[in-house]
Amino acid sequence: MSDKAPEVIFVVGPTATGKTRLSIELAQRLNGEIVNADSRQVYLHMEIGTAKPSPHERSLVPHHLFDLLPPSDNFSLGSFLNLAKSTIQQVNSRGSPAIVCGGTGQYIWALYEGWDVPEVPPDEEFRRKLEAEAAELGGEALYERLNSIDPERANTLDARNVRRVIRALEIHHATGLQPSAFQGDAGEGKKGPVIGLTMDRDRLYERIDARVDQMMADGFLEEASNLQSMGYALGEGPLACPGYRELGQYLKGEISLQEARQRTKFQTHRLARRQYTWFKPSDPRINWLSAEDPDLAEAAFNLSSGTA
């Protein structure tokens, strides 16, 4: 690893901005290796719908944390952090920088900030109990309970995000510790440059729509049908994401294929907007670059090599 190259570089941003292509170009120029930070690309059999790097792209530079487990299994933030930290150490030991690429904001910032999250498995009975309480008393009641246990963690959450509030309470229930005890601070962990790709919102939507059309041409429906025939429930668990859910509705005869295509585009637009809540344009940690800049690769390389 050169004196200028950091141990880890982050390539982030919403879906369809070209993170995969840029990360490969950086890896080639820096002799780096790519570490996946997309919560869906860790699953087997979900190639087209998650826009995984193609076999050709993966042959260009080493790729890590793809195709780890079947879509029926749970993959937690704690699992990701343990694997990512270990992988980064291994990559660095070979004298190479790790290029962490993905659009799952929680994964990116937890790794960047050095969180230490316990691998607490889901407690379905506990979750159902709290979900019932939220339905009866409102999500605010659960939020206030978390606030009484761990105001620091509560302060980082939106009270309306019941799922994340329940997860924090679940960690406390399983460990007896405050969930915030498992979060590092911004001074810990790997501190490489964070390169964000962005573009005009309307242009992004156009790019998303074109990519969905290409995914359909590449066999997305066949992929979804194969997953269903393997016994996986489209629209549930890891398959509750744009495209698989809608194609599942089509395969059940609930909507037309054209409607499934349009809904996939709309839901992917929504996904991009949610990703911008994790990767805010005003975030000083992110070095934003235009995804449509013809000199994007050079600008990203300069940031990564410390010559910007």
Side-chain angles (χ1 to χ4, degrees):
M1 190 158 53
S2 73
D3 292 338
K4 289 185 178 180
E7 291 182 339
V8 61
I9 299 156
F10 296 84
V11 177
V12 308
T15 188
T17 48
K19 298 185 294 297
T20 294
R21 182 174 63 252
L22 178 61
S23 65
I24 290 172
E25 291 177 344
L26 285 176
Q28 290 175 316
R29 296 187 65 169
L30 295 168
N31 190 34
E33 302 184 23
I34 293 171
V35 179
N36 171 44
D38 183 294
S39 64
R40 294 301 190 262
Q41 292 181 349
V42 301
Y43 290 101
L44 293 159
H45 316 304
M46 297 169 62
E47 312 302 317
I48 298 171
T50 65
K52 283 182 192 172
S54 68
H56 171 68
E57 288 172 322
R58 289 200 232 181
S59 73
L60 299 175
V61 296
H63 284 68
H64 305 277
L65 305 192
F66 293 88
D67 303 322
L68 300 179
L69 66 171
S72 55
D73 289 6
N74 178 65
F75 188 75
S76 68
L77 174 60
S79 300
F80 167 75
L81 288 174
N82 285 341
L83 288 170
K85 290 174 183 178
S86 173
T87 300
I88 289 169
Q89 289 176 353
Q90 293 171 23
V91 171
N92 292 162
S93 74
R94 292 190 282 271
S96 298
I99 299 168
V100 178
C101 175
T104 302
Q106 188 182 45
Y107 284 11
I108 293 291
W109 294 126
L111 182 61
Y112 180 85
E113 295 178 353
W115 292 15
D116 182 16
V117 177
E119 286 197 69
V120 175
D123 184 333
E124 297 301 338
E125 182 178 350
F126 181 79
R127 289 184 177 186
R128 284 194 294 270
K129 177 184 175 184
L130 293 195
E131 287 167 357
E133 287 186 32
E136 180 181 355
L137 304 174
E140 187 70 28
L142 295 184
Y143 181 81
E144 288 304 320
R145 185 184 306 175
L146 175 62
N147 191 53
S148 67
I149 294 169
D150 188 354
E152 181 180 345
R153 181 65 177 128
N155 191 51
T156 68
L157 297 178
D158 186 333
R160 295 168 296 182
N161 194 331
V162 176
R163 183 182 62 82
R164 294 189 66 199
V165 172
I166 288 177
R167 178 57 180 168
L169 290 169
E170 183 179 47
I171 290 172
H172 176 262
H173 175 72
T175 66
L177 300 173
Q178 291 183 320
S180 61
F182 298 99
Q183 292 181 216
D185 60 44
E188 299 176 358
K190 303 293 186 178
K191 299 289 290 182
V194 181
I195 299 169
L197 299 187
T198 190
M199 61 196 308
D200 174 78
R201 191 67 60 92
D202 289 338
R203 284 284 299 122
L204 177 59
Y205 290 168
E206 290 175 6
R207 184 178 287 196
I208 287 170
D209 292 350
R211 188 168 79 170
V212 169
D213 288 336
Q214 186 61 53
M215 290 161 66
M216 294 298 294
D218 290 342
F220 190 12
L221 176 58
E222 290 78 6
E223 178 174 280
S225 180
N226 288 338
L227 281 161
Q228 182 171 271
S229 67
M230 294 166 68
Y232 300 115
L234 300 178
E236 296 182 14
L239 290 164
C241 54
Y244 295 106
R245 178 178 49 230
E246 289 72 27
L247 290 175
Q249 292 172 318
Y250 163 71
L251 290 169
K252 290 178 182 178
E254 296 174 355
I255 59 176
S256 69
L257 185 57
Q258 180 60 23
E259 178 67 14
R261 183 192 297 253
Q262 289 305 118
R263 288 189 185 185
T264 298
K265 293 176 180 179
F266 177 72
Q267 292 300 330
T268 309
H269 296 175
R270 290 188 63 189
L271 170 63
R273 292 196 296 272
R274 290 198 303 272
Q275 288 173 313
Y276 271 120
T277 67
W278 283 101
F279 307 119
K280 292 182 172 62
S282 60
D283 193 326
R285 297 171 296 182
I286 303 176
N287 300 278
W288 285 107
L289 299 175
S290 169
E292 298 187 290
D293 184 349
D295 297 319
L296 171 62
E298 187 67 23
F301 173 75
N302 290 339
L303 283 169
S304 302
S305 60
T307 58

